[in-house]
Amino acid sequence: MITGDEHPAIVPAWKSTWLKGGRIKSAERIAVIKVVNPTNLGGCMFRGWDWLGNRIKSFPRDTPLFISAQDTIGTVWTDPYVFTNERRSDEAPQEFTLKLNLWWAPGDTDCFIHHKHPFLETHAQIHGCGRMQKFRQNDAATIYEDVVMPIGYSHDPFCRVTGRNEWTYPWHRYYADTDSVWLAVELHP
């Protein structure tokens, strides 16, 4: 994506930015998300969002983590190794279905340590401030990386490709420092 007028800037693929009165000059595909009114933003959970415990029965009953409906945006072609930053050039691009959904949690919420996904993913911070964290085990005391997520930031993918449509993730979680909304970007083979 190219932004700006007098001084054009490039936002790389799978990255994000926060524009305030800015201009998008060109892009092949983008998602534009605008928080119109942050007052009572947590009320999103009453507008069709689902508490994660309704989907995962073992999810902690006292964790206020909510997910929006998932939108299928279309398809993209990318080399999984390029997506995960394991190589620079597209040697084996393949088609993925691109899906997006939003998450909401109040401040100081542990959003569940996990390590399995049947897709490639990254996240972008929409509102508030949080962290994407990596762990050696399914235990918060084993943290080894803490990626701060301010508004407009997208982290690099955490997974590594291990075979055709196979990848491994470290134990990881999102942690909401403040009331937060973040976007999950999923590439499904």
Side-chain angles (χ1 to χ4, degrees):
M1 177 172 72
I2 299 175
T3 66
D5 287 317
E6 302 83 32
H7 188 354
I10 295 172
V11 179
W14 312 113
K15 293 298 183 180
S16 59
T17 191
W18 184 28
L19 293 176
K20 190 167 187 164
R23 179 172 178 231
I24 299 168
K25 290 183 89 168
S26 65
E28 186 175 324
R29 176 178 293 155
I30 62 171
V32 177
I33 299 172
K34 182 176 182 178
V35 176
V36 177
N37 183 1
T39 303
N40 297 325
L41 189 59
C44 63
M45 67 181 142
F46 301 119
R47 294 188 294 273
W49 289 40
D50 195 15
W51 175 62
L52 191 59
N54 291 333
R55 299 180 184 194
I56 301 173
K57 296 306 173 201
S58 63
F59 189 72
R61 309 297 302 165
D62 60 349
T63 301
L65 177 57
F66 294 84
I67 183 172
S68 72
Q70 188 170 65
D71 291 316
T72 299
I73 303 305
T75 58
V76 295
W77 282 85
T78 190
D79 183 326
Y81 288 95
V82 172
F83 179 83
T84 60
N85 298 315
E86 294 177 82
R87 70 175 164 225
R88 290 182 174 263
S89 62
D90 278 335
E91 294 177 22
Q94 68 179 83
E95 187 176 37
F96 289 89
T97 300
L98 180 60
K99 297 182 180 192
L100 305 177
N101 58 266
L102 294 166
W103 293 83
W104 177 85
D108 294 317
T109 299
D110 168 351
C111 298
F112 193 58
I113 297 174
H114 58 287
H115 74 296
K116 293 187 188 262
H117 292 296
F119 47 80
L120 299 169
E121 79 167 352
T122 189
H123 302 90
Q125 188 74 25
I126 305 301
H127 178 80
C129 186
R131 292 176 273 155
M132 286 298 301
Q133 302 175 316
K134 296 180 189 176
F135 305 89
R136 288 184 177 82
Q137 300 170 22
N138 187 8
D139 179 351
T142 66
I143 188 169
Y144 68 90
E145 189 172 348
D146 198 11
V147 180
V148 177
M149 300 279 292
I151 293 173
Y153 184 77
S154 294
H155 67 84
D156 287 323
F158 283 6
C159 62
R160 292 293 166 253
V161 179
T162 56
R164 174 108 174 127
N165 295 330
E166 295 176 3
W167 24 82
T168 60
Y169 283 84
W171 289 100
H172 66 283
R173 75 172 171 197
Y174 180 87
Y175 187 94
D177 290 313
T178 67
D179 292 358
S180 294
V181 175
W182 62 101
L183 176 71
V185 178
E186 301 177 359
L187 282 71
H188 293 256

